[in-house]
């Protein structure tokens, strides 16, 4: 019989038997609090005691910092619209941690710089507005209002972005809104 085939078969057998060996070894009987940490899964760093709330423990048992948990951001976006002049945009209302703001994603392939005005309208006549310079190019960009304290329900807010040529006439090329019939999501 070929020795190479035997070696490969033995390697596969070892790999397949590791989960079984972990199950046989059982949980950490000593528990994570006493610092001893027993069991095969702990020694391989696979047990729950090797994890912390915000990262994983290093080999010496100390917690390594993991990425901070990001707060949930809910959004209500209108459809992605395209102007014949080479401008694409989608406008959203975003809500997170008691704050609401507007954001418009765009791509300007018109060959010229444009001006954008993004307006967020909320309950009781509350309005926030910001102007953004929209550079020409194929790279996507965004225009975003400041984050303000939320008042009322998230669906009481809407946002509109208007993209125009920056000249004396200010010819409007595209108006994109968040309150169009589009799916909401994260």
């Amino acid at each position: 019989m070929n020795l190479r085939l035997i070696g490969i078969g033995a390697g596969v057998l070892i790999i397949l038997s590791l989960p079984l060996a972990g199950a046989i070894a059982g949980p950490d009987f000593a528990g994570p609090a006493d610092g001893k940490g027993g069991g095969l899964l702990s020694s391989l760093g696979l047990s729950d005691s090797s994890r912390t709330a915000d990262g994983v423990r290093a080999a010496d048992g100390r917690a390594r910092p993991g990425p901070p948990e990001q707060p949930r951001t809910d959004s209500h976006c209108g459809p992605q619209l395209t102007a014949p002049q080479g401008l694409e945009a989608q406008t959203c209302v975003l809500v997170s941690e008691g704050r609401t703001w507007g954001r418009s994603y765009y791509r300007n392939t018109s060959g010229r710089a444009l001006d954008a005005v993004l307006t967020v309208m909320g309950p009781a006549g509350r309005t926030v507005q910001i102007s953004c310079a929209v550079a020409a190019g194929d790279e996507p960009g965004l225009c975003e209002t400041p984050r303000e304290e939320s008042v009322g329900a998230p669906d009481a807010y809407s946002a509109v972005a208007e993209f125009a040529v920056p000249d004396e006439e200010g010819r409007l090329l595209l108006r994109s809104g968040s309150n169009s019939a589009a799916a909401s999501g994260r």
Side-chain angles (χ1 to χ4, degrees):
M1 188 172 233
N2 188 345
L3 289 178
R4 192 178 312 182
L5 186 58
I6 294 173
I8 292 173
V12 170
L13 184 60
I14 290 171
I15 290 171
L16 293 176
S17 66
L18 280 177
L20 180 59
I24 292 170
D28 293 340
F29 293 110
D34 66 1
K36 294 179 184 176
L40 178 61
L41 293 177
S42 287
S43 65
L44 294 175
L46 300 174
S47 73
D48 287 341
S49 65
S50 67
R51 304 223 173 254
T52 63
D54 60 351
V56 294
R57 293 197 184 274
D60 63 3
R62 291 185 295 189
R64 288 189 313 207
E69 188 172 318
Q70 297 295 318
R72 178 180 169 89
T73 301
D74 292 316
S75 64
H76 176 75
C77 300
Q80 181 176 336
L81 301 175
T82 303
Q85 297 85 355
L87 176 66
E88 300 173 15
Q90 183 178 30
T91 302
C92 305
V93 171
L94 298 108
V95 179
S96 180
E97 296 185 317
R99 296 191 171 284
T100 303
W101 68 100
R103 181 183 293 164
S104 187
Y105 302 95
Y106 61 83
R107 183 182 311 254
N108 178 14
T109 60
S110 69
R112 64 188 304 181
L114 301 173
D115 288 335
V117 175
L118 175 60
T119 306
V120 175
M121 296 150 287
R126 297 172 52 106
T127 303
V128 176
Q129 189 174 70
I130 189 165
S131 296
C132 299
V134 177
D138 195 31
E139 293 299 314
L142 64 88
C143 180
E144 185 172 277
T145 65
R147 298 172 187 208
E148 300 287 333
E149 291 291 323
S150 298
V151 176
D155 61 353
Y157 286 84
S158 63
V160 174
E162 296 177 314
F163 296 85
V165 177
D167 59 14
E168 294 173 11
E169 296 175 21
R171 185 170 45 107
L172 182 65
L173 298 180
L174 183 67
R175 179 177 288 131
S176 170
S178 67
N179 59 349
S180 302
S184 296
R186 188 173 168 170

